[in-house]
Each structure stands twice: as C-alpha cells, then as structure tokens.
C-alpha cells in the first residue's frame, strides 16, 4: 500500500502600497504596526511597493514574522534601501528589487 502525505502550506501575503510621503514618516515603527494591525495578520510574505530608503521595509519585518520583499522603481533607490537593510543585518529576511 502506498501512503501519500499531503502537506498544506498556508501563505499570507500583505501587500503594502503607500505614496512616497508615507515612507518619510519619522516613526516608521508606528506606521508599520498600524499597517499590520489593519491587515489583521501576524506573519507571512509582505510585499511593499514604492520602497524609498528601506526603513519602512525593516519596520514591517520587525512587527512580526514577515518576510518582506520591497519593490522600487529606480536603481539608485534599490541600492540605498539595500545598504540600509544590510546595515541592519537583515538582508534575506528583507529584500528590495
């Protein structure tokens, strides 16, 4: 008799889209917690569109068990965000393209 093992993997995706002004907020930790509270999830994949400097991306990761993938339009912005993320030793858990 062949036994089959079925594994269900749940993936929660939180898509974060904010205008440029939102990424200049002084307290990104508060903003990140508000985003996550409103989304009602505590972990999963978080995709952030319009990354500026990587600080909100890091704050989103730090709110819970999130893998954060940020997207930025300009190569210089990507490099700036990656530099910040690397300075926090979080690249991999938080990434930007």
């Amino acid at each position: 008799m062949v036994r089959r093992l079925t594994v269900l993997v749940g993936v929660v995706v939180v898509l974060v889209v904010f205008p440029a002004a939102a990424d200049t907020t002084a307290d990104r930790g508060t903003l990140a917690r508000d985003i996550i509270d409103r989304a009602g999830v505590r972990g999963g994949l978080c995709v952030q569109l319009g990354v500026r400097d990587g600080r909100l991306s890091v704050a989103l990761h730090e709110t819970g068990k999130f893998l954060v993938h940020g997207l930025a339009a300009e190569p210089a912005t990507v490099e700036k965000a990656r530099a910040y993320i690397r300075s926090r030793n979080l690249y991999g858990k938080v990434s930007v393209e």
Side-chain angles (χ1 to χ4, degrees), residues 2-3 15 22 24 31-33 56 58 60 68-69 72-75 83 86 93 96:
V2 177
R3 296 188 335 175
L15 179 61
T24 61
L31 177 59
R33 283 187 298 279
L56 181 56
V58 167
L60 287 164
V68 179
H69 187 78
E74 301 295 326
R86 285 187 189 109
K93 295 176 182 178
V96 176

Side-chain angles (χ1 to χ4, degrees), residues 32-33 36 42-44 46 48 54-69 85 88-95:
R33 283 187 298 279
I36 299 307
R42 295 289 171 249
C46 179
Q48 180 192 0
R55 294 176 192 276
L56 181 56
S57 304
V58 167
L60 287 164
H61 168 71
E62 292 174 341
T63 64
K65 296 181 179 181
F66 286 98
L67 176 67
V68 179
H69 187 78
I85 294 164
R88 300 289 307 273
N89 294 318
L90 289 173
Y91 206 85
K93 295 176 182 178
V94 181
S95 60

Side-chain angles (χ1 to χ4, degrees), residues 4-76:
R4 292 185 183 189
L5 176 63
T6 303
V7 178
L8 298 176
V9 178
V11 177
V12 177
V13 178
V14 177
L15 179 61
V16 179
V17 182
F18 279 94
D23 204 29
T24 61
T25 303
D27 188 359
R28 289 174 185 88
T30 299
L31 177 59
R33 283 187 298 279
D34 186 45
I35 292 167
I36 299 307
D37 287 345
R38 288 174 188 244
V41 294
R42 295 289 171 249
L45 173 63
C46 179
V47 178
Q48 180 192 0
L49 302 180
V51 170
R52 294 291 174 184
D53 59 10
R55 294 176 192 276
L56 181 56
S57 304
V58 167
L60 287 164
H61 168 71
E62 292 174 341
T63 64
K65 296 181 179 181
F66 286 98
L67 176 67
V68 179
H69 187 78
L71 300 173
E74 301 295 326

